[in-house]
Amino acid sequence: MKNNKRPLHGFIVCLLVTVCMSMVVGCGTQSATPSPNQQVTDKPKTGGTITVASPYEVDTLDVHKTTGGNESVTWNLGASLLSKDPVTKEYKPYLASSYKISEDKKTLIFFLRSGITFHDGTPLTAQSFKDNFDRIMDPKTKATAALANLSPVKNIKVLNDRSFMIELHEPNAAFLDTLSTGDFQPLSMKAIEKYGEDYGRNPVGVGPWKFESWKPGEGVTLVRNEDYQWGDPNFENQGPPRVDKLVVKTIPDFQVMTSALESGSIDIAFDVPAKDIKKYRNNPKYQVLERMRPGVPLSLWMNLTKPEFQDIQVRKAFNMLVNKQAMIQAALMGEGEVAQTLLSPATLGYDKSLEKYGYENNADEAKKLLDAAGWKVNSNGFREKNGKTLTLTMLTMPKYEKTAQLTQAMLGEVGIKINIQNLESAAWEEELLKGNFDVTLMAYTAEDPDVLYQMFHSSQIGAFNIIGLKDGILDSLLTKGRITFELNARKQAYVEAQKRLLKQAYIVPLYAERYFTVVNSRVKGVKWTSLMPAFNDSWVGN
């Protein structure tokens, strides 16, 4: 995911959580180095339109209700209390002018900048954040990702118009990152009252871009917010965007997306498959922005509520049956790294020494484990136990179709039958959240190791813990990592958590991907935030 997000890429969506080690105000941590920004020497211009393409269908533009996949739109409509420097990882005030953290790390006080207004003219106040929090927590809202990410919060108290206090249930080293993403961006309560259930199609935020239109299946059009004078501290341009319009097209088919890029009907393509990157790298018509995707690497997720996967011998066998290097060559054209741990090399908490607890490709040993578990090969060549064949449904989406086919073939060699169900991202996420799968392929983009809490802690069943994992020992390690602020001790907690995950073979890590964005050279000044490329400093050249 991508928070991609949180990939689930959408549901995933993108939960980007990075630890803050400061006791009073935010400071940086080690993490992934973002792709280089565009190198430009031209003088910025105003006007024109930038058209970008995303493979993920927008489910709603209400960030409280979305399951993810819409960050390319909502990130531009809104703004966050804090902003994270994409290089140093330092937390800087954004909508806040400053903030404080108590000695016991359970209370945060935020002081807001003055003069900030929503797109409908409503002033942003401390009460705005309190009202938004109450809406997220209200069961009637049916919040998903936002609710999970704000679970550390006990209460929010308004101190005056310009300041409020967040009380946490317990210290949470990763929580500041939630406040630097779009999950807690303030929405206009006036607009929510006006539009009711239709607010998701009429969003009103405080960001550099305002909503103009949304055509389901086609895309969303945003226009410059002329009143925007509270720029992200990482923006060079602190005022309104230089471009008149930002169009985000939905193009789930990557072949169609790259064709649109080459024809000029789009300017920027997100999440371009690795197999297509070589032709753009040395072409002066384009610039490729890239970085190793942080978080949980692409993995084969086994639904642990299914009886087949309640046997550790079966789970270990699945880990041994995949040839990861072959997958990287065939699916990524070599643009990736074999994953033997549960965090990518670009993530705080990655430890190469954990690789010894991983599983090497060994089909003969896997066969022995399956035999020992009672899954014997029948006369038709399939694994069978008590009259039932080992037949499983794999949910996937177009981005991972090739990897799904390779996995199907590798498991099929030992008599495991895999039926692939290839769905568009929104339908895929919906089925995963319902638990309607046996196995699936998923990566989860996140910069902080607390992503492991989100994905595997038993309290997250019904939210991000889609495999239904319940493990008390693991829960304790993940909780320790979440509440520990000292960097080395925190990292060690996640090392131990990964060791537990690997020894129990709860998941099959496959490979760590690189994230590619291809930009038409006529568009200048595209820069990375910690989440994705941003366009406040961008303009359209000749």
Side-chain angles (χ1 to χ4, degrees):
M1 307 175 187
K2 274 180 193 177
N3 78 252
N4 206 127
K5 101 229 324 67
R6 321 192 158 273
L8 300 171
H9 268 293
F11 171 47
I12 330 333
V13 79
C14 280
L15 173 68
L16 295 177
V17 278
T18 299
V19 58
C20 169
M21 304 314 303
S22 170
M23 300 301 102
V24 180
V25 295
C27 73
T29 71
Q30 302 171 1
S31 190
T33 301
S35 307
N37 297 323
Q38 280 190 297
Q39 304 300 311
V40 294
T41 56
D42 300 350
K43 184 177 179 180
K45 301 178 181 180
T46 58
T49 297
I50 293 176
T51 302
V52 306
S54 170
Y56 310 113
E57 176 67 75
V58 171
D59 57 350
T60 175
L61 294 176
D62 184 340
V63 295
H64 296 171
K65 296 184 177 183
T66 181
T67 58
N70 60 11
E71 292 87 354
S72 57
V73 177
T74 57
W75 185 249
N76 292 291
L77 285 169
S80 50
L81 277 168
L82 304 175
S83 176
K84 184 169 58 183
D85 187 294
V87 176
T88 69
K89 307 305 178 186
E90 176 186 3
Y91 290 100
K92 302 175 181 178
Y94 181 4
L95 295 179
S97 59
S98 62
Y99 66 101
K100 297 179 180 179
I101 302 177
S102 65
E103 287 189 13
D104 66 2
K105 314 297 185 296
K106 293 170 66 175
T107 302
L108 298 81
I109 297 178
F110 289 88
F111 304 91
L112 299 177
R113 295 168 66 171
S114 60
I116 300 175
T117 59
F118 288 96
H119 300 153
D120 59 7
T122 306
L124 176 71
T125 66
Q127 189 65 43
S128 304
F129 285 93
K130 169 64 173 172
D131 291 343
N132 272 253
F133 172 74
D134 289 345
R135 180 175 186 255
I136 292 170
M137 303 307 290
D138 187 343
K140 295 179 181 177
T141 303
K142 298 180 181 179
T144 53
L147 180 64
N149 290 330
L150 288 181
S151 62
V153 178
K154 180 179 180 181
N155 191 27
I156 290 182
K157 293 182 180 179
V158 174
L159 303 179
N160 55 47
D161 257 9
R162 305 249 64 81
S163 63
F164 65 95
M165 178 171 65
I166 298 178
E167 295 179 297
L168 304 179
H169 292 289
E170 58 187 6
N172 189 318
F175 183 67
L176 286 185
D177 200 83
T178 297
L179 301 181
S180 71
T181 66
D183 289 325
F184 194 42
Q185 63 171 280
L187 309 180
S188 168
M189 296 306 296
K190 179 181 177 181
I192 289 171
E193 292 172 6
K194 176 180 179 180
Y195 294 108
E197 291 298 315
D198 291 330
Y199 173 81
R201 294 185 176 275
N202 298 276
V204 178
V206 295
W209 302 90
K210 298 170 64 174
F211 175 77
E212 182 178 83
S213 63
W214 174 17
K215 294 181 179 179
E218 295 184 26
V220 178
T221 299
L222 309 179
V223 296
R224 175 172 54 212
N225 178 10
E226 299 288 358
D227 297 323
Y228 184 74
Q229 296 293 338
W230 45 89
D232 184 312
N234 295 306
F235 292 165
E236 175 186 326
N237 171 27
Q238 291 290 295
R242 293 169 174 145
V243 176
D244 294 330
K245 289 190 176 184
L246 178 65
V247 179
V248 181
K249 287 188 175 182
T250 301
I251 308 180
D253 186 302
F254 289 100
Q255 185 172 346
V256 174
M257 183 188 293
T258 54
S259 295
L261 181 68
E262 291 163 15
S263 71
S265 61
I266 64 171
D267 301 304
I268 300 170
F270 288 148
D271 219 359
V272 176
K275 65 181 180 63
D276 297 318
I277 287 302
K278 185 177 292 187
K279 64 181 177 181
Y280 298 116
R281 272 213 175 99
N282 299 314
N283 189 330
K285 294 181 179 179
Y286 307 99
Q287 183 169 2
V288 177
L289 308 182
E290 63 182 270
R291 69 171 183 170
M292 181 67 73
R293 190 187 297 276
V296 179
L298 183 73
S299 303
L300 181 67
W301 300 67
M302 300 170 282
N303 189 336
L304 302 181
T305 67
K306 305 294 183 179
E308 295 88 343
F309 296 121
Q310 290 170 12
D311 188 331
I312 190 173
Q313 295 179 106
V314 174
R315 301 196 302 269
K316 286 184 175 181
F318 270 60
N319 271 270
M320 294 177 182
L321 286 170
V322 290
N323 185 330
K324 301 173 185 182
Q325 191 59 55
M327 286 181 169
I328 291 172
Q329 293 302 321
L332 301 182
M333 303 300 287
E335 298 282 357
E337 293 186 18
V338 167
Q340 294 286 18
T341 69
L342 277 299
L343 290 173
S344 97
T347 313
L348 177 73
Y350 169 79
D351 191 321
K352 188 174 177 61
S353 69
L354 286 169
E355 291 183 1
K356 64 186 177 185
Y357 298 102
Y359 300 86
E360 297 296 331
N361 181 215
N362 189 333
D364 290 337
E365 185 62 28
K367 291 176 184 178
K368 294 177 184 178
L369 288 170
L370 291 170
D371 287 341
W375 292 100
K376 305 293 183 65
V377 178
N378 63 20
S379 59
N380 295 317
F382 294 112
R383 293 278 166 177
E384 182 180 304
K385 180 179 180 180
N386 298 328
K388 178 184 177 182
T389 59
L390 188 50
T391 301
L392 304 169
T393 298
M394 176 189 289
L395 287 190
T396 188
M397 57 179 176
K399 176 180 175 62
Y400 296 125
E401 185 174 8
K402 181 65 174 179
T403 302
Q405 292 170 348
L406 292 167
T407 305
Q408 180 188 49
M410 291 171 186
L411 297 177
E413 288 179 358
V414 298
I416 300 171
K417 185 176 182 181
I418 299 292
N419 296 318
I420 296 174
Q421 188 175 359
N422 197 352
L423 303 174
E424 296 302 333
S425 60
W428 170 74
E429 291 168 9
E430 183 178 353
E431 291 303 301
L432 290 189
L433 288 170
K434 292 178 180 178
N436 294 337
F437 70 99
D438 296 321
V439 292
T440 190
L441 291 171
M442 183 175 71
Y444 199 105
T445 303
E447 292 192 355
D448 190 87
D450 188 66
V451 64
L452 298 180
Y453 184 103
Q454 299 282 343
M455 305 305 293
F456 301 115
H457 195 281
S458 62
S459 68
Q460 301 302 302
I461 292 174
F464 294 103
N465 184 348
I466 61 168
I467 59 176
L469 174 56
K470 298 179 182 179
D471 184 325
I473 295 174
L474 180 63
D475 282 354
S476 296
L477 292 168
L478 294 175
T479 299
K480 182 179 180 180
R482 170 170 273 204
I483 67 174
T484 301
F485 278 71
E486 198 281 315
L487 183 61
N488 289 330
R490 186 167 190 259
K491 178 179 178 180
Q492 188 58 37
Y494 289 113
V495 168
E496 293 300 319
Q498 290 177 84
K499 188 185 300 183
R500 177 71 179 175
L501 286 161
L502 291 167
K503 285 186 173 181
Q504 294 298 312
Y506 287 133
I507 186 173
V508 185
L510 299 176
Y511 53 75
E513 307 164 272
R514 291 187 176 89
Y515 183 89
F516 298 101
T517 299
V518 181
V519 183
N520 187 307
S521 293
R522 82 182 191 98
V523 175
K524 313 294 183 181
V526 177
K527 295 181 179 179
W528 274 88
T529 65
S530 60
L531 180 64
M532 62 178 59
F535 307 102
N536 217 59
D537 293 338
S538 304
W539 72 96
V540 179
N542 295 327

